[in-house]
Amino acid sequence: MYSFNFYMPTKVLFGPGKLNELHSETLPGKKALIVTTGGTSVKKYGYLARVEKELALAGVEHVLFDQIRPNPTNINVMDGAKAVKDNGCDFVLALGGGSVMDCSKCIALMANNPGDIWDYSLSANGGKKAAPNPAIPIICITTSAGTASEVDIASVITNDKTQEKTGIFFLSMFPTISVVDSDLMMSVPPKFTAYQGMDAFFHASETVVNKNVHPMAEMFALKTIEFVAKYLPRAVVDGSDKEARAYMALANTFAGYYMMCTSAHTMEHVMGSFHDNLVHGAGLIEIAHAYYGFFAERKAAEEPMKKMAKAMGIEHPQSGKDFIAALDQLITDVGCANLKMSEEGITREELKLYPAKVHEVLGGDITADPLPLSDADYLEIFENAYC
Amino acid sequence: MYSFNFYMPTKVLFGPGKLNELHSETLPGKKALIVTTGGTSVKKYGYLARVEKELALAGVEHVLFDQIRPNPTNINVMDGAKAVKDNGCDFVLALGGGSVMDCSKCIALMANNPGDIWDYSLSANGGKKAAPNPAIPIICITTSAGTASEVDIASVITNDKTQEKTGIFFLSMFPTISVVDSDLMMSVPPKFTAYQGMDAFFHASETVVNKNVHPMAEMFALKTIEFVAKYLPRAVVDGSDKEARAYMALANTFAGYYMMCTSAHTMEHVMGSFHDNLVHGAGLIEIAHAYYGFFAERKAAEEPMKKMAKAMGIEHPQSGKDFIAALDQLITDVGCANLKMSEEGITREELKLYPAKVHEVLGGDITADPLPLSDADYLEIFENAYC
């Protein structure tokens, strides 16, 4: 039947304009380190000023730390942790997308723990230690609809020196409060709206086909798929479509409540490990038809795929192939039909190196696909995806 | 669009047999007060022994307090709080249905707060105080599929002296861990299986028609309705149907994640306030056709009702009346078509007293129905329901 847990101690405030309510929550400290990127948009669009106003209304002081890189590093983390201590902050407030939220969680961890963040990494060169102390409290205010970092304990951090990219996870890294306010996502350009939105879609579709799926994860995932299919094309075509943005914000977080990723996420990380600049959502789109098609051909996930097709508006799906057709259409509708692995710098020759790497990089659960995949299967999927 | 919060700090362990995993969780103390009823079933069916074994495996001591009445009272609460203190317990473990869980939450509150539980009641004779201290930690192990008390902060307690029945709510009354294990529900007799399951159904259906519903509440509620329609008739006909029991356990909790009740719950509490022995689920069933029919006649909730009809298996619902037909069929299928208000001791004459009482008793949000209801409307619904 089923067996699963649900644990989500983060209080999530959902809705357009919801940031305006932050000051009326019980905030988890008296002085915040606001962590954000060095980019200009949080300032230009007034998001930072709005956050500062909320803290002021709540009688909370703050210090700004606006130095997070797109792929945050151990140095970012340690600099942030030092800023917490130097300024006597007692909680961290992340304002940004996945990179900022991930880095903030690690800053909160290192603000209260000895040594370097890499002491707590499970990577080959990581110290693999358990953190002796909990992270200080974290508030996440997400400005993108894709990673769902606002409702999990995961951080992906890069080590500048060892070139490793690792996941760091501690239960105390659940945010205390997260704000999912689509008003802060209106300025995301169409291309990134599509990439981030499709990332959320694939978090959900990998969950539905995951052999370990359970009724609660499936419920969240199918609702995500329904929202993405309905609203992402609109949000891409017209970024000022408030309703579409609002439902995409919700889709993103819903997918995050359970993120049961399979080999597809791992395969994209393999591509990324060879090509630093590959955008995660784009890589996922590039392999999607080949990955899901592999199982549709073998009728290995007929029921899950029919459920997904139905969520995407196909009234009477007959087989998994109806999902593949709906997926292709969605990719077209969000303007991503022309994405090509070759244009990312990937060569057909190099694909032969990928299957071995699937067993090395961080990603989804490669034992949870609808059928077990051999290295030959991985190569076949990569080759089918290549153009 | 939408605006809502999600906050559920309770870690919930779902699944048949899931109780067996309790010992591997981090339990919130070293000595538990196990709170349960004076009835025999938790002992006869071995549930208590299983809980005691889990605590022993976790190295946690316990003391048994098996004195909870079906409608728990302030005296039950204070006796339990005294047992916590006298025995040096540091958390409360509730094993039972709604009465046990509700009472346990208040015991946990009073184990750490001065005075009497009624000091913290908002009823006419209640002290209306804020509790100065948090409740001690609570674990809930539910043995019924209906109230969803395992995922909320609410307790309904009766005052023996003032004859008041009140809700007591403090954020610290969220359970730390809850176990939703349908193996503990296999022995519920058919009649109570139906009443409890239909209570879960109405928590969900009132949510879907609630004028304040939002996408997350609707998602949980429609999934509840789908599960109840599919599995409750099976669980009533054959209590040993493990799959049906497991999905009803899930339906119950899903409805509890958001419980946006309307006047229907309040109206049932009015009936209960005149007739102590009326079972809550039975009362809800008795007024259901008249309550939902009122709005279907007026086409006041066509879309929500069509969504519910669809969740109940009607492929192309045309109007709210399709939901009414599906509801009538479900009530028949769970063996409750013959329930009559007159057989509860309710007289047609006394119905005239009910509308005024709607404004006095605790229940759902009487401003959240699909249409505002006047006292004349309440009377019309009660009279239509009467037989």
Side-chain angles (χ1 to χ4, degrees):
Chain A
M1 277 165 272
Y2 58 78
S3 174
F4 63 97
N5 298 339
F6 184 67
Y7 182 48
M8 186 53 58
T10 303
K11 180 169 184 181
V12 189
L13 316 186
F14 285 104
K18 205 73 184 181
L19 175 56
N20 303 341
E21 295 178 18
L22 182 61
H23 70 273
S24 56
E25 295 293 320
T26 303
L27 302 187
K30 295 308 291 172
K31 190 171 185 183
L33 186 77
I34 300 182
V35 177
T36 191
T37 66
T40 56
S41 45
V42 295
K43 291 165 193 158
K44 186 169 72 180
Y45 296 110
Y47 306 156
L48 178 60
R50 287 181 55 194
V51 168
E52 289 174 330
K53 184 182 160 197
E54 290 299 309
L55 294 180
L57 284 170
V60 167
E61 288 183 272
H62 74 270
V63 173
L64 182 63
F65 182 76
D66 56 357
Q67 297 167 38
I68 306 305
R69 292 180 12 183
N71 283 304
T73 69
N74 55 326
I75 294 165
N76 278 155
V77 170
M78 297 313 298
D79 286 350
K82 185 170 180 298
V84 168
K85 291 180 209 166
D86 287 352
N87 293 288
C89 297
D90 53 6
F91 74 100
V92 173
L93 185 151
L95 173 65
S99 300
V100 167
M101 293 189 283
D102 282 12
C103 195
S104 297
K105 291 177 194 171
C106 286
I107 289 171
L109 185 74
M110 294 316 298
N112 201 26
N113 278 292
D116 184 86
I117 183 68
W118 226 250
D119 297 341
Y120 308 102
S121 157
L122 300 172
S123 66
N125 293 297
K128 301 175 187 65
K129 288 185 193 166
N133 305 316
I136 65 171
I138 302 154
I139 293 181
C140 283
I141 301 176
T142 180
T143 59
S144 72
T147 69
S149 183
E150 69 277 8
V151 286
D152 67 31
I153 58 168
S155 291
V156 177
I157 302 291
T158 299
N159 187 315
D160 268 331
K161 211 157 132 193
T162 66
Q163 294 297 316
E164 292 174 300
K165 199 168 184 176
T166 196
I168 291 174
F169 316 82
F170 288 101
L171 269 183
S172 64
M173 285 159 59
F174 265 123
T176 306
I177 299 173
S178 285
V179 178
V180 180
D181 178 346
S182 52
D183 282 358
L184 309 182
M185 302 168 189
M186 305 299 290
S187 56
V188 179
K191 193 169 81 168
F192 288 97
T193 299
Y195 294 168
Q196 292 161 3
M198 289 306 293
D199 187 17
F201 181 92
F202 294 124
H203 293 152
S205 58
E206 292 175 43
T207 299
V208 177
V209 301
N210 192 301
K211 70 174 195 186
N212 302 317
V213 70
H214 53 72
M216 195 167 183
E218 187 188 84
M219 175 180 73
F220 276 110
L222 288 174
K223 189 52 80 175
T224 299
I225 288 167
E226 177 190 326
F227 285 159
V228 175
K230 189 164 176 188
Y231 295 108
L232 185 58
R234 281 172 49 181
V236 170
V237 168
D238 176 8
S240 71
D241 182 335
K242 285 189 74 129
E243 186 182 51
R245 291 285 194 188
Y247 281 93
M248 281 309 303
L250 207 52
N252 155 57
T253 311
F254 278 12
Y257 277 120
Y258 285 98
M259 201 180 279
M260 298 173 71
C261 293
T262 61
S263 286
H265 254 70
T266 311
M267 293 170 75
E268 195 288 325
H269 284 292
V270 169
M271 293 155 64
S273 74
F274 284 85
H275 298 274
D276 267 1
N277 294 323
L278 175 64
V279 179
H280 177 57
L284 288 168
I285 293 168
E286 287 161 13
I287 57 170
H289 180 96
Y291 174 79
Y292 294 97
F294 183 92
F295 301 108
E297 285 294 336
R298 287 158 182 77
K299 298 192 183 301
E302 292 294 280
E303 287 313 310
M305 286 186 181
K306 284 198 268 180
K307 285 180 187 175
M308 292 194 287
K310 207 162 179 181
M312 296 172 81
I314 313 295
E315 202 156 352
H316 295 289
Q318 301 300 310
S319 79
K321 290 185 181 176
D322 289 330
F323 168 67
I324 309 298
L327 173 64
D328 290 344
Q329 186 61 50
L330 176 62
I331 290 172
T332 300
D333 292 346
V334 299
C336 292
N338 58 348
L339 286 178
K340 288 186 172 63
M341 288 168 80
S342 56
E343 292 184 7
E344 311 287 0
I346 298 172
T347 64
R348 192 178 283 277
E349 191 55 28
E350 129 197 346
L351 299 181
K352 295 191 183 68
L353 305 173
Y354 285 11
K357 200 85 176 176
V358 164
H359 304 280
E360 287 170 30
V361 304
L362 179 87
D365 178 354
I366 62 170
T367 71
D369 301 293
L371 289 175
L373 294 178
S374 66
D375 283 5
D377 295 332
Y378 285 123
L379 186 59
E380 180 182 330
I381 295 169
F382 279 123
E383 287 184 334
N384 285 340
Y386 194 82
C387 63
Chain B
M1 281 167 270
Y2 59 78
S3 173
F4 63 98
N5 298 340
F6 183 66
Y7 183 48
M8 186 53 59
T10 303
K11 181 169 185 180
V12 188
L13 316 185
F14 284 105
K18 205 71 183 182
L19 175 56
N20 303 341
E21 294 178 20
L22 182 61
H23 70 273
S24 56
E25 295 294 321
T26 303
L27 301 187
K30 297 308 290 172
K31 190 171 185 183
L33 186 77
I34 299 181
V35 177
T36 191
T37 66
T40 56
S41 44
V42 296
K43 291 165 191 157
K44 184 168 75 180
Y45 295 110
Y47 307 156
L48 178 61
R50 287 182 56 194
V51 167
E52 290 174 330
K53 184 181 161 200
E54 289 300 307
L55 293 180
L57 284 169
V60 167
E61 290 183 90
H62 74 269
V63 173
L64 181 64
F65 182 76
D66 55 358
Q67 296 166 38
I68 307 303
R69 293 178 13 182
N71 283 305
T73 68
N74 55 327
I75 295 165
N76 278 156
V77 169
M78 297 314 297
D79 286 349
K82 184 169 183 298
V84 168
K85 291 180 207 167
D86 288 351
N87 293 287
C89 297
D90 52 6
F91 74 100
V92 172
L93 185 151
L95 172 65
S99 300
V100 168
M101 293 189 283
D102 282 10
C103 195
S104 296
K105 291 177 194 170
C106 285
I107 289 172
L109 185 75
M110 294 316 298
N112 201 26
N113 277 293
D116 185 86
I117 183 68
W118 227 249
D119 296 341
Y120 307 103
S121 157
L122 299 173
S123 65
N125 293 297
K128 302 174 187 67
K129 286 186 194 167
N133 306 315
I136 65 171
I138 302 154
I139 293 181
C140 283
I141 302 176
T142 178
T143 58
S144 72
T147 69
S149 183
E150 69 277 8
V151 287
D152 66 31
I153 58 169
S155 291
V156 178
I157 302 292
T158 298
N159 188 316
D160 269 329
K161 211 156 129 194
T162 66
Q163 293 297 316
E164 291 174 299
K165 198 168 185 176
T166 196
I168 291 175
F169 315 83
F170 288 101
L171 269 183
S172 64
M173 285 160 59
F174 265 124
T176 306
I177 300 172
S178 284
V179 177
V180 180
D181 178 345
S182 52
D183 282 359
L184 310 181
M185 302 167 190
M186 306 298 291
S187 55
V188 178
K191 193 169 81 168
F192 288 97
T193 299
Y195 293 167
Q196 293 161 3
M198 289 305 294
D199 187 16
F201 181 92
F202 294 123
H203 293 151
S205 57
E206 291 174 45
T207 299
V208 177
V209 301
N210 193 300
K211 70 174 194 186
N212 301 317
V213 70
H214 53 73
M216 195 167 183
E218 187 189 83
M219 175 180 73
F220 276 109
L222 287 174
K223 188 54 79 174
T224 299
I225 287 167
E226 177 191 325
F227 285 159
V228 175
K230 190 165 175 186
Y231 295 109
L232 185 58
R234 280 172 49 180
V236 170
V237 169
D238 175 10
S240 71
D241 181 334
K242 285 189 75 127
E243 186 182 53
R245 290 286 195 188
Y247 280 93
M248 281 309 302
L250 207 52
N252 154 57
T253 311
F254 277 11
Y257 277 120
Y258 286 98
M259 200 180 280
M260 297 173 71
C261 292
T262 61
S263 285
H265 255 69
T266 310
M267 292 169 75
E268 195 288 325
H269 284 292
V270 169
M271 293 154 63
S273 75
F274 284 86
H275 298 274
D276 266 1
N277 294 323
L278 176 64
V279 179
H280 177 56
L284 288 168
I285 293 167
E286 287 161 12
I287 58 170
H289 180 96
Y291 175 78
Y292 294 97
F294 182 91
F295 301 108
E297 285 294 336
R298 287 157 182 78
K299 299 193 183 301
E302 291 295 278
E303 288 314 310
M305 286 187 181
K306 284 198 266 179
K307 286 180 185 175
M308 292 194 287
K310 206 161 180 182
M312 295 172 83
I314 312 296
E315 204 157 350
H316 295 290
Q318 300 301 311
S319 77
K321 290 187 180 173
D322 288 331
F323 168 68
I324 308 298
L327 174 65
D328 289 345
Q329 186 61 50
L330 176 61
I331 290 172
T332 300
D333 292 346
V334 300
C336 292
N338 58 348
L339 287 178
K340 288 187 173 63
M341 288 167 79
S342 56
E343 291 184 7
E344 311 287 0
I346 298 172
T347 64
R348 192 178 283 273
E349 192 54 30
E350 125 197 352
L351 299 181
K352 295 191 182 69
L353 306 174
Y354 286 11
K357 199 87 176 174
V358 164
H359 304 279
E360 287 170 32
V361 303
L362 179 87
D365 178 353
I366 63 170
T367 72
D369 301 293
L371 289 175
L373 294 177
S374 66
D375 283 5
D377 295 331
Y378 285 123
L379 186 60
E380 179 182 331
I381 294 170
F382 279 123
E383 287 185 335
N384 284 340
Y386 194 82
C387 63

